[in-house]
Amino acid sequence: MYIVFLGAPGAGKGTQATSVAKEFGLVSIASGDLFRQAVVRGDELGKKVKEYMAKGVLVPSEITVQMVLNKLDAPESLNGVIFDGFPRNLKQAEALDEALKKQNKKIDKVVYIKVEEKELVRRLGGRWVCHSCQAPCTIEGILAIEQRKCRKCGGELYQRPDDNRETIKNRLKVYFTETAPLIEYYRQSGRLIEVEGEGNVEEITKRINSALRKKAII
Ligand code: ADP
Ligand code: ZN
């Protein structure tokens, strides 16, 4: 099974993709995570993408497509993949469809997680991420340093450098102009599953899992 998770920054793609991947025994390929790891390593790729990410604009598609398709060819991806944060424009979507077609595969379903813009801004502005388990956590207002611990594992929390006001604005703008048209692209080919992304995290996971199961039978 090959699934794309679509939605704005802050919609909860990463959180949901991780749970759903576990449920269905798939690997999750998150382009943003792969870029962040490259930046930490400080390798060629990391140096190339750092500036784009800091500004909140898309990394050029040639770089992104090559990186994601390499992962798709890895042995652990054979059972199926959830793509999280990729594709992000029409060019990437077409490149992905083409690459899968060559292997007699296709994107089976696209899970679009819908969240209001106001809620996205609220989530991203207060988002802290755990160094140890990567779980995101929303902190409203300013808390004492000692309270900034992960609720799941007690790990240290940090704020992503692109979760600042200016970059958040850019990322949302880029999403609405470049990525949102993909909703229609996938709807037209009958692959879109629309899921309400506001509310309890576990509830949303259940909704996605049951929608995918239903569609899998048909
Ligand atoms: P978010 O969805 O919260 O904005 P991501 O972790 O998915 O965060 O992406 C962070 C940044 O990485 C993006 O702002 C962009 O610069 C880059 N990026 C991630 N995925 C892609 C992609 N598919 N195409 C181009 N750039 C990407
Ligand atoms: Zn943690």
Side-chain angles (χ1 to χ4, degrees):
M1 192 150 53
Y2 292 82
I3 305 169
V4 166
F5 272 47
L6 199 60
K13 295 187 298 291
T15 307
Q16 297 300 340
T18 308
S19 305
V20 175
K22 216 189 241 168
E23 175 79 17
F24 289 90
L26 308 169
V27 295
S28 148
I29 298 180
S31 46
D33 287 348
L34 294 174
F35 285 142
R36 269 185 292 281
Q37 287 157 13
V39 170
V40 170
R41 287 196 305 270
D43 59 13
E44 272 309 301
L45 177 66
K47 281 183 208 149
K48 272 191 214 158
V49 303
K50 198 173 173 188
E51 289 298 306
Y52 297 106
M53 296 180 78
K55 283 189 206 135
V57 298
L58 295 188
V59 171
S61 287
E62 304 81 71
I63 300 176
T64 311
V65 168
Q66 194 192 355
M67 176 185 73
V68 172
L69 294 188
N70 274 343
K71 278 275 161 188
L72 179 64
D73 286 337
E76 68 266 22
S77 303
L78 275 177
N79 276 335
V81 168
I82 292 182
F83 296 96
D84 161 14
F86 179 91
R88 250 177 161 87
N89 60 24
L90 208 53
K91 192 172 172 185
Q92 294 180 9
E94 285 168 356
L96 179 61
D97 278 345
E98 215 168 282
L100 286 171
K101 201 171 169 190
K102 278 188 192 142
Q103 306 178 9
N104 282 321
K105 292 170 184 159
K106 61 177 172 51
I107 294 297
D108 301 289
K109 289 296 157 198
V110 177
V111 176
Y112 164 44
I113 307 179
K114 222 163 78 179
V115 173
E116 290 290 329
E117 187 169 357
K118 213 169 139 197
E119 170 68 4
L120 297 170
V121 174
R122 190 190 71 81
R123 287 186 188 177
L124 293 169
R127 177 163 78 174
W128 290 70
V129 187
C130 174
H131 259 305
S132 312
C133 74
Q134 314 306 321
C137 156
T138 302
I139 296 180
E140 312 253 13
I142 299 163
L143 288 184
I145 292 287
E146 60 272 17
Q147 284 177 272
R148 291 182 190 164
K149 298 270 188 233
C150 173
R151 292 193 192 107
K152 280 194 181 151
C153 77
E156 291 292 325
L157 298 179
Y158 73 99
Q159 231 174 350
R160 263 172 51 174
D162 60 349
D163 278 347
N164 65 72
R165 197 188 288 250
E166 199 51 35
T167 311
I168 289 171
K169 227 173 81 188
N170 258 333
R171 283 156 60 207
L172 288 173
K173 196 169 130 203
V174 167
Y175 170 76
F176 286 111
T177 54
E178 301 191 44
T179 310
L182 291 183
I183 299 167
E184 272 317 304
Y185 175 78
Y186 287 119
R187 184 179 287 143
Q188 275 169 16
S189 49
R191 294 179 278 183
L192 198 75
I193 296 173
E194 230 172 285
V195 178
E196 181 52 60
E198 291 183 48
N200 181 288
V201 174
E202 288 78 26
E203 278 302 318
I204 298 166
T205 310
K206 275 189 209 154
R207 260 180 249 157
I208 297 175
N209 284 343
S210 70
L212 284 172
R213 277 208 196 84
K214 239 186 256 158
K215 298 278 178 176
I217 298 166
I218 293 168

